[in-house]
Amino acid sequence: MSRTRWRLGLGATALLVASGLIPAPAQAEDVTDYAITVDPSARGAKIDDTMYGVFFEDINRAADGGLYAELVQNRSFEYSADDNGSYTPLTSWTVAGTARVVNDAGRLNARNRNYLSLGAGSSVTNAGYNTGVHVEAGKKYDFSVWARADAGTALTVSLQDADGPLAAAGQVAVTESGWARYKLTLTVGRTSSAGRLTVASSAAAALDMVSLFPRDTYRGEPNGLRKDLAEKIAALHPGFVRFPGGCLVNTGSMEDYSEASGFQRKRSYQWKDTIGPVEERATNANFWGYNQSYGLGYYEYFRLSEDIGAMPLPVVPALVTGCGQNKAVVDEALLKRHIQDTLDLIEFANGPASSRWGKVRAKMGHPKPFRLTHIEVGNEENLPHEFFARFKEFRAAIAAKYPDIQVISNSGPDDSGTTFDTAWQLNKDAKVDMVDEHYYNSPQWFLQNNDRYDSYDRTGPKVFLGEYASQGNTFKNALTEAAFMTGLERNADVVELASYAPLFANEDYVQWRPDLIWFNNHASWTSANYEVQKLFMNNVGDRVVPSTATGTPSLLAPITGAVGLSTWATTAAYDDVQVTDADGRALLTDDFSSGAAQWAHTGGGSWSVQDGQYVQTDVNAENTMVSAGDPSWHDYDLKVKATKKAGKEGFLVAFGVKDTGNYYWWNIGGWNNTQTAVEQAVDGGKSTLISKAGSVETGRAYDIDVKVRGRHVTLYLDGQEWGSFTDDKPAEPFRQVVTRDQKTGDLIVKVVNAQNAAARTAVDLGGAKVASRARVTTLAAAQDAVNSETSTTVAPVTSTFDGVAGKFSYTFPANSVTFLRIRQK
């Protein structure tokens, strides 16, 4: 093998040393040599136009206060403690004079329960989202309100900030004796992101659905979408839009919103609640801790998909809750109702305007069908048998009435483990069309698992990678995702659909990180991850051209590191810690009879020695790590006794501890005391290496034994072997794939170089006759680069390269994603 094949660049070395896969060299170079060989005569996998898409879930205020352009928060006075413990019906409103929220028979309609009773000469002012109502000079904003008052009552509408009026105040006169909708337009004189909307009444009045919409929405549509956010979705040219969730779909009550059910306010997302006139859409608590008005509902999702040329892909509940709730609903009548709702959804999307639900769609403004072809039942269910029993009933009913609709199942919330394996076997046995996989893992995991789908059964169910991300918005995260995506494309005959998740985050209302697009009330910006997704989505190609590449060689070193103890939302006691080397010599012995001086506290929580045990006493603290020993330790046994005192989970025993962001831990009784797993943290991002169902009993002492030998680890619980793993996959920083664009005839050579060294590469196009000039698009930045509202550090740069031939050399920059579009003659 040539000498250049074994040269390690600085970036490759840094990545592999960080993961413990190679020892640190005495000296490193800044260039690594590679070779790519393409076989244009071979026929690779076909890539569908729909391969890459987006996943929209109302998380991080993605809908209200986000993509949905409504500027008034809590416009219908429906906020409730069911949504968030801090909410009242007047959240985001201030009152001058007298006003109260009423829930009685005088309401606007049965599904809109609350309204505001405003006293004569009184007013209410809305604070909007983030810093306030954002308006721009010279633009028009449409105000509307449903009101009931004596004829002749005047409503005065004003828009102002701390510096004064933003628009000339307007007046509407109440003319009807009952509820009626009144409108006016405000033209803004100056730009502000701190506006306040005020409605004052000359006489006593009832108000509901107080609304202010920018006239300038996406495609100018009423009840429309915020323009800059929708345009960023459209710029991706996604092949599909998965909606509306996510945990919104399979959590909460499966009952409807009616008097019979007690007007459930914590319901799963049910599509019929979200269509029709906005004032008749039943509000709901959002799983992520706020309210969802459903102004952005199924009709709007379908319209968005159509507008951007994407396939709509709705997800419906399967009556098995997930996302930590993990309960199977046993109610045959309710199951039949949800199955019928799903059939009705298909009719709403595809039925003629003369059908019952097609007529509803037509009345909303879209007589033509939406051409729905795929539907997903369920999301991340952690009870695979219970889920699949219900899934089969949905699938059978859909197949009987709509045989052309493809019904998608799922494999639970993780990339491996007992639930994943069980779910996949059930799906294979039932010959399911497609299975949705979800995982959020460390950047290292994505570098290590480029080959994940190489070994999947080509004749089994196809894969929908519905949610994935590498736990960060730095360019390093984006690079590792790009490296993984080359493996998705190479396996396009198995992976038919893929979408990063989540899509949106309002910077002031964040429940989940990372996210693809960030925004506030006046600006939006794309993440480094978005730029990678956009580059791949806009350069997919139609078919894979088989190719191979040399890798970055590594010399495997043993797992090294100190040991640690931790808890997560739990109090626990530890005792009799022993660490011995492979020959049985003691490295650490501590029964805590003399305190805990050997341990360094690097996490949260509160640790103290009590009754000869080391105890963490804060039941709410997460990741309370204490560590002891030498980071250079290897090939050792760790033994400890652990007892859960109280709380939601079990205990965490760490090994291979290098620092606060790099370690392994055995998470015994994690995930609300339902699973036991080994997780690896690399630079703070965790991924699961092995997982099984399991729980911990409170008050019982457990004997824990971890044996580390080289890169192999065996784990024992109460003297019985629980499991083992070998962590020996290299985190390969150099990845590539080649595709062909049938329309242009281009070969698209896609190369990811996720290291701090340039990749000097010999490219052999296998005899293909090509033009000498290639169009080049490059994303390159420091690994820690992050885009923000004020700085776009990671952005594509286009150029040309004139040195293309059947065989040529190209140096791919350090920390880069590069696409070469090469025209075939």
Side-chain angles (χ1 to χ4, degrees):
M1 191 167 290
S2 71
R3 180 184 174 192
T4 56
R5 287 283 302 277
W6 288 96
R7 293 168 63 185
L8 281 174
L10 177 62
T13 303
L15 278 167
L16 298 173
V17 168
S19 63
L21 294 179
I22 64 170
Q27 186 175 3
E29 299 174 86
D30 60 0
V31 177
T32 306
D33 288 310
Y34 296 94
I36 297 173
T37 303
V38 183
D39 184 358
S41 63
R43 191 174 177 83
K46 181 180 180 297
I47 307 174
D48 290 337
D49 292 340
T50 54
M51 179 168 184
Y52 293 122
V54 295
F55 165 48
F56 182 94
E57 179 175 13
D58 187 1
I59 184 174
N60 310 313
R61 287 280 187 188
D64 296 330
L67 184 61
Y68 186 48
E70 173 66 77
L71 297 174
V72 176
Q73 185 175 177
N74 190 19
R75 66 183 178 186
S76 192
F77 310 100
E78 296 289 341
Y79 275 27
S80 160
D82 286 333
D83 309 324
N84 186 293
S86 67
Y87 282 3
T88 73
L90 282 172
T91 291
S92 82
W93 293 94
T94 55
V95 176
T98 60
R100 62 190 179 92
V101 175
V102 182
N103 180 346
D104 65 14
R107 64 181 63 88
L108 180 59
N109 60 66
R111 294 172 68 77
N112 191 332
R113 308 297 290 171
N114 290 350
Y115 64 94
L116 183 74
S117 176
L118 187 63
S122 299
S123 66
V124 287
T125 298
N126 191 265
Y129 296 94
N130 300 92
T131 55
V133 175
H134 174 71
V135 291
E136 296 180 12
K139 292 192 174 181
K140 295 182 183 298
Y141 294 81
D142 293 322
F143 168 84
S144 66
V145 63
W146 283 82
R148 187 189 67 213
D150 291 338
T153 298
L155 301 178
T156 302
V157 182
S158 58
L159 188 62
Q160 66 284 325
D161 64 9
D163 294 327
L166 294 167
Q171 268 198 356
V172 294
V174 174
T175 57
E176 303 291 330
S177 59
W179 284 103
R181 187 175 184 228
Y182 300 93
K183 298 183 289 185
L184 62 81
T185 298
L186 299 175
T187 301
V188 170
R190 59 185 175 84
T191 296
S192 175
S193 295
R196 300 291 187 269
L197 178 74
T198 298
V199 181
S201 182
S202 63
L207 306 180
D208 206 345
M209 298 297 291
V210 182
S211 174
L212 186 69
F213 253 89
R215 181 78 57 85
D216 189 20
T217 60
Y218 182 62
R219 298 173 69 93
E221 294 175 356
N223 196 54
L225 306 181
R226 180 171 149 176
K227 189 174 182 179
D228 61 325
L229 298 184
E231 285 176 343
K232 284 180 171 59
I233 302 175
L236 291 168
H237 298 293
F240 65 88
V241 178
R242 178 178 181 251
F243 63 88
C247 288
L248 295 186
V249 168
N250 67 333
T251 54
S253 168
M254 300 293 164
E255 299 286 350
D256 63 0
Y257 191 68
S258 67
E259 186 174 5
S261 67
F263 294 104
Q264 294 280 344
R265 277 299 298 268
K266 291 187 175 183
R267 308 184 306 284
S268 63
Y269 197 110
Q270 299 175 43
W271 76 273
K272 289 180 180 177
D273 289 341
T274 76
I275 61 168
V278 290
E279 68 272 13
E280 295 177 8
R281 300 184 188 184
T283 191
N284 197 9
N286 184 304
F287 173 83
W288 299 107
Y290 51 92
N291 177 272
Q292 47 194 340
S293 72
Y294 287 148
L296 176 59
Y298 257 74
Y299 177 78
E300 289 74 28
Y301 287 128
F302 278 123
R303 285 296 303 266
L304 171 64
S305 301
E306 181 179 68
D307 287 345
I308 63 177
M311 176 181 79
L313 204 167
V315 186
V316 298
L319 276 72
V320 178
T321 58
C323 302
Q325 296 183 359
N326 300 337
K327 179 182 177 182
V329 179
V330 181
D331 185 327
E332 192 63 28
L334 193 58
L335 175 61
K336 290 187 184 309
R337 194 267 287 175
H338 275 268
I339 291 172
Q340 185 58 52
D341 280 354
T342 303
L343 298 176
D344 293 344
L345 170 60
I346 298 170
E347 182 176 283
F348 175 78
N350 292 352
S354 59
S355 65
R356 178 186 175 187
W357 291 102
K359 186 179 298 182
V360 173
R361 182 195 69 239
K363 187 176 179 181
M364 294 183 71
H366 201 281
K368 293 183 178 179
F370 282 118
R371 295 180 294 188
L372 177 68
T373 58
H374 293 64
I375 195 165
E376 184 172 355
V377 176
N379 170 76
E380 292 189 8
E381 281 74 23
N382 221 351
L383 302 172
H385 291 287
E386 292 85 343
F387 160 73
F388 206 73
R390 291 155 179 77
F391 172 85
K392 288 193 295 185
E393 294 197 46
F394 277 86
R395 185 176 67 158
I398 294 169
K401 189 168 184 180
Y402 300 105
D404 294 334
I405 296 290
Q406 189 168 123
V407 186
I408 301 172
S409 180
N410 75 82
S411 58
D414 300 305
D415 63 271
S416 60
T418 303
T419 296
F420 179 87
D421 292 340
T422 301
W424 255 106
Q425 192 60 55
L426 291 168
N427 285 307
K428 286 180 180 178
D429 292 346
K431 294 181 170 51
V432 168
D433 290 332
M434 189 177 293
V435 178
D436 188 0
E437 294 188 355
H438 294 178
Y439 36 82
Y440 298 91
N441 289 324
S442 68
Q444 174 170 294
W445 186 94
F446 283 92
L447 290 181
Q448 290 177 315
N449 286 276
N450 175 274
D451 63 349
R452 175 180 176 88
Y453 297 106
D454 290 1
S455 59
Y456 270 50
D457 182 0
R458 265 51 199 169
T459 64
K462 302 304 180 184
V463 172
F464 172 22
L465 180 49
E467 299 183 31
Y468 72 98
S470 71
Q471 302 174 337
N473 277 144
T474 69
F475 190 47
K476 174 181 178 178
N477 297 101
L479 282 169
T480 63
E481 291 157 3
F484 188 74
M485 292 170 77
T486 66
L488 299 183
E489 290 195 4
R490 187 176 63 251
N491 290 286
D493 55 331
V494 169
V495 184
E496 289 197 351
L497 307 171
S499 51
Y500 180 101
L503 180 60
F504 283 122
N506 185 319
E507 65 173 352
D508 293 332
Y509 308 94
V510 180
Q511 293 87 44
W512 187 279
R513 298 173 188 269
D515 304 283
L516 206 62
I517 301 169
W518 288 80
F519 65 92
N520 50 38
N521 66 348
H522 62 275
S524 59
W525 56 98
T526 62
S527 65
N529 318 67
Y530 173 97
E531 296 302 335
V532 162
Q533 293 291 323
K534 183 179 178 182
L535 187 56
F536 274 84
M537 287 192 202
N538 285 279
N539 295 277
V540 180
D542 303 287
R543 188 173 292 278
V544 175
V545 181
S547 60
T548 58
T550 55
T552 309
S554 62
L555 302 174
L556 296 182
I559 291 173
T560 60
V563 298
L565 308 171
S566 189
T567 59
W568 196 286
T570 302
T571 63
Y574 295 93
D575 203 357
D576 297 334
V577 179
Q578 296 180 30
V579 182
T580 55
D581 67 15
D583 296 324
R585 291 187 295 266
L587 300 174
L588 172 70
T589 300
D590 204 337
D591 63 3
F592 303 105
S593 58
S594 302
Q598 300 184 80
W599 299 83
H601 185 189
T602 56
S606 179
W607 289 85
S608 61
V609 175
Q610 300 178 11
D611 300 324
Q613 296 179 310
Y614 202 18
V615 184
Q616 198 291 114
T617 56
D618 186 343
V619 74
N620 296 311
E622 299 178 347
N623 194 1
T624 64
M625 181 84 81
V626 291
S627 60
D630 191 328
S632 67
W633 281 351
H634 61 87
D635 296 294
Y636 58 77
D637 292 0
L638 164 62
K639 294 183 179 181
V640 61
K641 289 186 180 294
T643 305
K644 174 181 176 177
K645 296 287 191 179
K648 297 179 180 178
E649 304 205 347
F651 20 79
L652 299 153
V653 176
F655 54 97
V657 179
K658 292 182 175 61
D659 52 45
T660 56
N662 295 275
Y663 55 83
Y664 301 81
W665 67 19
W666 192 5
N667 188 348
I668 304 172
W671 295 270
N672 289 322
N673 207 16
T674 62
Q675 294 184 67
T676 295
V678 176
E679 297 177 279
Q680 181 183 18
V682 178
D683 295 336
K686 289 198 292 290
S687 55
T688 300
L689 302 181
I690 180 173
S691 175
K692 298 179 183 179
S695 60
V696 168
E697 298 176 24
T698 302
R700 174 185 163 190
Y702 289 81
D703 288 320
I704 297 166
D705 184 0
V706 179
K707 294 186 183 299
V708 181
R709 295 293 184 272
R711 301 205 65 81
H712 185 76
V713 179
T714 309
L715 307 111
Y716 298 86
L717 192 60
D718 287 337
Q720 300 295 314
E721 183 175 336
W722 175 84
S724 64
F725 68 93
T726 302
D727 181 22
D728 61 357
K729 293 188 73 173
E732 173 59 59
F734 184 82
R735 296 291 188 184
Q736 60 79 40
V737 71
V738 181
T739 64
R740 178 182 286 112
D741 186 329
Q742 185 175 354
K743 182 177 180 181
T744 64
D746 290 349
L747 286 177
I748 312 173
V749 179
K750 310 173 187 183
V751 176
V752 181
N753 183 29
Q755 58 184 323
N756 292 325
R760 187 166 51 203
T761 307
V763 181
D764 183 348
L765 296 179
K769 297 187 182 304
V770 293
S772 62
R773 173 172 291 185
R775 286 180 291 141
V776 184
T777 306
T778 306
L779 292 169
Q783 287 198 2
D784 61 357
V786 178
N787 287 350
S788 67
E789 179 182 352
T790 57
S791 175
T792 306
T793 307
V794 181
V797 175
T798 58
S799 61
T800 58
F801 174 65
D802 293 326
V804 179
K807 293 182 179 180
F808 67 97
S809 294
Y810 192 93
T811 298
F812 296 95
N815 302 315
S816 66
V817 183
T818 306
F819 280 27
L820 303 172
R821 292 194 72 115
I822 302 170
R823 181 65 54 87
Q824 291 190 92
K825 293 182 177 178

